[in-house]
Amino acid sequence: MNYKEILKEIKPKESEIKKVHEIAKDAISYINKIAKEEDINVEAKLVGSIAKGTWLSGSSDIDIFINFSLEEDEDYLKEKGLYLGHNCSEHLNGIAEEHYASHPYLTSHINGYYVDFVPCYKIKTAKELKSAVDRTILHTNYIKKHLKSEKQKDEVLLLKKFMSEVGVYGSEFKVGGFAGYLCEMLILRYNTFEETLEAAANWKNKTVIDLEDYKTDKLFKDPLIAIDPTDKTRNVGAALTKERMSEFIIASRNFLNSNEADKIKFFYGIDKKETFEEKMSEKEIHDQISPYELYKQFKDRKTKTITIKFNIPDISVDSIHPQLKKTQQSIEEKLEDNDFSVFKSDYWTDEKKIGVFIFELSVYKQSKYYIHEGPRVWDKKACENFIKSHGEDYYILEDKLVLNKERQFKTAKNFIKSVLTKENIHIIKVGKNMKGLLIDTYTWQSIKHLLKDESLKENTDFLKFLENFLNPGQLLKR
Amino acid sequence: MNYKEILKEIKPKESEIKKVHEIAKDAISYINKIAKEEDINVEAKLVGSIAKGTWLSGSSDIDIFINFSLEEDEDYLKEKGLYLGHNCSEHLNGIAEEHYASHPYLTSHINGYYVDFVPCYKIKTAKELKSAVDRTILHTNYIKKHLKSEKQKDEVLLLKKFMSEVGVYGSEFKVGGFAGYLCEMLILRYNTFEETLEAAANWKNKTVIDLEDYKTDKLFKDPLIAIDPTDKTRNVGAALTKERMSEFIIASRNFLNSNEADKIKFFYGIDKKETFEEKMSEKEIHDQISPYELYKQFKDRKTKTITIKFNIPDISVDSIHPQLKKTQQSIEEKLEDNDFSVFKSDYWTDEKKIGVFIFELSVYKQSKYYIHEGPRVWDKKACENFIKSHGEDYYILEDKLVLNKERQFKTAKNFIKSVLTKENIHIIKVGKNMKGLLIDTYTWQSIKHLLKDESLKENTDFLKFLENFLNPGQLLKR
């Protein structure tokens, strides 16, 4: 199939390439100049998808890594790194904001682009690694060295775009999908976009990608084992969830089984019109997924859907997602422990202020009593203790002492309201930064009322989330 | 403790003994006389608890076994046996009714007593056994030979009475408790009533009673292995359920831990006043367990209780109980398979006309959809087949293809109404004689309406059944 038209859309044009590299060049030379003047022994370098020439048009941040010598201590690196970043940002009239991942870094909005200034150590091999970001330079070097032809870079772009539209692109926790570096590795392994999909269509659990033939795959138990060419003890596929990998496999099969007209659609979002020129406006998307339509769908499912809306803490996006997920899953588990059945649950956040948990229950109410099982009658001592602590209302089921015990929580609402208090929050596992805010700011609402919430009913991302909650798997098909 | 007063109540008085034996003697000599006259080679014998002198006052049928020679064929035995029974019954002005257990027999109401005339083979050892009833003679002979003293017989009476009042006496399917013969064996093993309870209080699973030291206990897997002294390959405890055995153990412990005043109460029903002289009238019992009080208890449990009332087939009591149990359990299983939760279920029958199933549900309604699991994505062929047969609405959970499938039954009522039809009855396992009657005569009712049913609301046995359904384990305590 001919991907020319698609590449025309997704490949950065000469003007974009020129502009991006100009910004990068200006920043790098300014940093290196200042460093030299102030006797700071560093070297700024362009890394990431722009350095590798594998970024999708309009999508990428400019990653500038400021390399410190391995002898410098971390406080020095942090202080001088941020200092150089701020200095450069000011010089280029940027608007800067500090961030903290495993490492502090600075993002600056310069001339229409986000530029990340990341202090790191100048390492030559993975063995010298001092922080997680240090690898980026090794990765950039490896890809620049092995992925040389324009043709190969085009194949990477097609793969990234396809993955993006079927919802499996991005290694951040929120997605749990394929990292850009992993996409590049896949093209190095399978040559082309189509050959990658053909391979993926037949992937088995624990598929191994071992470009440098390290044979260290036995170290890993992940469903996709993609051994880092720059570090044989690391699996680049570790952040990929089994679910995202499975979705990529199914989407690959669906793509390969489609005719050319349908294949093209895999490079466009399912809610978008057929060409980029005719992209839907936010308003059009919103009209298509109206809160009322969503409510009707929930109602039709004859479940009871309850939601918890609360304020999220002011921590990095990388940190908030795992904390939200952990909390939501813990509440789901405890609901099940209390004999409520969760048909489906999920969380959503605007990554700024609001977090939402959503629990769709097929069993929302329970009986007053449950059968509490005691010891078998053969164990006389255990029976005596059971009766001592539970009283005389026991009876026998099979060969066990049992009794009807009153449930602490007769409705799921009751359970949640009781648990989201200072006294009982210990019953669930809550992300460490969100405990207080969850208790203090949460509001409990049925889905009907949440869909009327002023801060959410116009939020396209939230409505899309609900649409996907109700109709998962749509992205896998065209 | 002194059991004199209790024995005075439960032991047959001279007059009762005399009357019972007179009836038995008259019947036996008449049968033997007729048989001789008509050249039928049989001998009538008194067997069972009256022959053994171990019956509770007022409780026993008179068992007369008509022994045929092993050479006679079964049709002859049946024809002549019933003929002699009818003849004798007429002679003694009885009202006779034929029954069929594993064997046909005749029950006749003579002079205030029920007399069973049972044709059987005259066997000397278990090896000669031709039908199940033949054993009775061996058992009678064994107990008459070994349980000789009045003291021992008194201990049997105390044990039988105790078991009866805690609800574990009787080996018929409905009870699944201790047979009279088993009680006698226990006294032979443990000497006294109290020593039996002391032993039982410490029984373990797979307790062995091996009076003749046959050492054949490895043949059996039942919780109580009481090797038949007349047949080392048979477990007299086979009909005892684990639940009844467990209840006896707990009741034994409770008895032994009681003071004398409370111990006495174990020989009286829990709903009766404290002495036999003051037995409650049916009306008093009925007033105590009123339908309205029962309804209030059901309501308090916050469950949904549904009932099925139907006509039972005209088959022996021995047969109807297993068929009802099997059907009730199968419906319960299928309700659970369809994601309804049964808190408790049971059946009741008047053993004449009416059968009732009762299902108390903690989950009565379900969501419209359930998650139907398909193959794992790694199996390409299986995935293709799944999509071919289930359509395109699939999505991924973990590494599985799944889809939301509409439930066939959204309420338990819906399920039951659909299953109790000619088309769908095959979904459940139904006792073989009751299928047609169940479909044709059943009425579906909530417990509220059943408690207003004209044929049931005055039925003390039914009300007691419901009372025990709601409050099991009461009989074990005083």
Side-chain angles (χ1 to χ4, degrees), chain A residues 146-162:
Chain A
H146 292 85
L147 192 90
K148 280 185 165 156
S149 74
E150 275 312 298
K151 172 84 177 63
Q152 281 178 303
K153 290 175 191 171
D154 288 353
E155 300 295 336
V156 169
L157 292 184
L158 291 170
L159 184 58
K160 284 185 174 179
K161 180 66 178 167
F162 175 86

Side-chain angles (χ1 to χ4, degrees), chain A residues 243 300 368 377 394 477, chain B residues 253 300 368 394 398 477:
Chain A
E243 205 156 287
D300 170 68
K368 184 170 180 182
V377 296
Y394 60 85
K477 310 148 202 168
Chain B
R253 291 180 191 155
D300 170 67
K368 183 169 179 182
Y394 60 83
E398 283 274 301
K477 310 146 202 170

Side-chain angles (χ1 to χ4, degrees), chain A residues 43-58:
Chain A
E43 184 189 5
K45 281 190 81 168
L46 179 66
V47 298
S49 62
I50 290 177
K52 295 182 280 190
T54 56
W55 83 99
L56 289 169
S57 172

Side-chain angles (χ1 to χ4, degrees), chain A residues 326-327 330-331 334 408-409 415-416 418-430 435 438-439:
Chain A
K326 175 184 169 180
T327 312
S330 176
I331 294 174
K334 293 294 169 188
Q408 202 182 344
F409 310 112
F415 168 78
I416 285 173
S418 167
V419 153
L420 296 187
T421 57
K422 274 199 187 66
E423 297 71 40
N424 295 325
I425 192 83
H426 64 90
I427 293 174
I428 53 170
K429 286 183 201 130
V430 181
K435 202 170 280 185
L438 181 59
I439 296 171

Side-chain angles (χ1 to χ4, degrees), chain A residues 6-42:
Chain A
I6 292 158
L7 281 167
K8 231 167 86 182
E9 308 256 13
I10 65 178
K11 207 174 161 164
K13 300 207 176 13
E14 266 314 312
S15 56
E16 181 177 349
I17 298 173
K18 204 178 149 204
K19 190 171 172 196
V20 160
H21 278 282
E22 254 168 28
I23 295 170
K25 210 179 122 194
D26 287 353
I28 287 168
S29 38
Y30 186 76
I31 290 171
N32 287 342
K33 178 179 148 248
I34 296 291
K36 203 171 177 185
E37 282 172 16
E38 306 201 4
D39 205 19
I40 307 170
N41 181 23
V42 296

Side-chain angles (χ1 to χ4, degrees), chain B residues 276-288:
Chain B
F276 286 82
E277 280 74 35
E278 294 176 71
K279 267 188 186 172
M280 270 183 146
S281 70
E282 286 286 301
K283 192 185 167 312
E284 279 176 301
I285 295 169
H286 185 264
D287 288 349
Q288 196 176 296

Side-chain angles (χ1 to χ4, degrees), chain B residues 223-282:
Chain B
L224 182 66
I225 298 162
I227 301 166
D228 191 341
T230 74
D231 182 354
K232 62 182 170 190
T233 66
R234 179 172 177 263
N235 177 17
V236 180
L240 175 67
T241 65
K242 202 179 252 183
E243 204 156 289
R244 285 302 96 72
M245 181 177 172
S246 299
E247 286 174 348
F248 178 59
I249 291 170
I250 295 296
S252 295
R253 291 180 191 155
N254 289 346
F255 175 89
L256 296 169
N257 287 330
S258 299
N259 60 31
E260 191 155 327
D262 286 338
K263 275 183 177 161
I264 292 170
K265 292 183 192 159
F266 275 90
F267 295 93
Y268 301 79
I270 52 156
D271 50 3
K272 286 174 191 164
K273 295 187 183 162
E274 292 210 2
T275 69
F276 286 82
E277 280 74 35
E278 294 176 71
K279 267 188 186 172
M280 270 183 146
S281 70
E282 286 286 301

